[in-house]
Amino acid sequence: MPPEVFDLGRIRLRRPVADDALAIYEYGSDPEVARYADWPVRTTIEPLIESLRSRTAQWESGEAYNWVITIPSLDRAIGGIACRVDRHAAEVGFLLHRRYWGQGFATTATRAVVEWALSDPSIWRVWATCDTENTASARVLEKCELRREGTLRRFAVRPALSRIPRDAFLYARVRGVT
């Protein structure tokens, strides 16, 4: 099982709770934050509350792990990071409140989750995708030592941008391969 909390100095990752819904809604309803997301900009909080409830079952089953990114002194969600495990591989994804962009928080959180995943002897590959125009996320992944493996054509619909699937870069870090 993954740690329920990562204490990382300037930030802390912890499992989300129902009381995080309003803070998550705040950044999830920002069109700039949701620009490259594979879900539409949040317009109501109710689906988010239901999603938070389902994350407990996903955690318990080992299907997916979600953490909110917080600043320790505030303990308010400023972003989120998830890790979905499938056999020998783990997919990571992250999102951060626009107010906290450019401060290294996404890189710190992603690096911690990637390192945790690769410390599990059953996980050999950690991977992520990002829209080909999302240069900020691509840079975070590169700083976390994931290498761009290629472009996935028409991979994901980004509802804030188009109903047509868009290209995405595929990044991965593989244990035992340099």
Side-chain angles (χ1 to χ4, degrees):
M1 292 298 282
E4 294 199 15
V5 175
F6 289 87
D7 282 311
L8 303 170
R10 295 186 320 139
I11 62 169
R12 175 181 294 132
L13 311 182
R14 64 164 172 76
R15 287 180 67 174
V17 296
D19 287 346
D20 292 320
L22 192 57
I24 294 169
Y25 179 75
E26 182 181 313
Y27 61 80
S29 62
D30 180 338
E32 281 302 303
V33 172
R35 179 180 179 88
Y36 296 112
D38 57 3
W39 41 264
V41 175
R42 297 200 182 278
T43 57
T44 62
I45 199 168
E46 288 76 20
L48 173 61
I49 292 168
E50 187 55 39
S51 174
L52 285 172
R53 287 186 188 120
S54 72
R55 291 178 187 177
T56 299
Q58 292 174 341
W59 184 288
E60 302 296 327
S61 72
E63 174 189 348
Y65 306 106
N66 290 274
W67 298 268
V68 290
I69 302 169
T70 69
I71 294 176
S73 61
L74 302 176
D75 195 37
R76 178 176 168 82
I78 63 164
I81 186 160
C83 180
R84 181 172 300 276
V85 177
D86 184 14
R87 297 175 305 240
H88 68 280
E91 177 187 13
V92 296
F94 56 88
L95 190 67
L96 194 64
H97 192 298
R98 185 176 3 166
R99 184 179 315 140
Y100 299 95
W101 288 358
Q103 298 180 45
F105 295 152
T107 300
T108 300
T110 302
R111 185 176 290 128
V113 173
V114 167
E115 295 298 330
W116 163 76
L118 287 173
S119 73
D120 181 329
S122 68
I123 296 176
W124 288 87
R125 174 184 180 83
V126 176
W127 64 280
T129 63
C130 70
D131 192 274
T132 56
E133 293 180 12
N134 191 344
T135 56
S137 288
R139 186 69 188 122
V140 167
L141 297 171
E142 290 164 359
K143 287 179 183 178
C144 295
E145 300 178 29
L146 278 77
R147 293 195 177 163
R148 187 182 304 172
E149 294 186 334
T151 303
L152 302 170
R153 300 289 179 199
R154 301 286 190 209
F155 178 74
V157 173
R158 311 287 183 202
L161 296 173
S162 173
R163 286 194 232 167
I164 298 170
R166 294 172 54 87
D167 295 350
F169 290 133
L170 172 64
Y171 283 86
R173 187 162 150 199
V174 181
R175 188 160 30 101
V177 176
T178 56

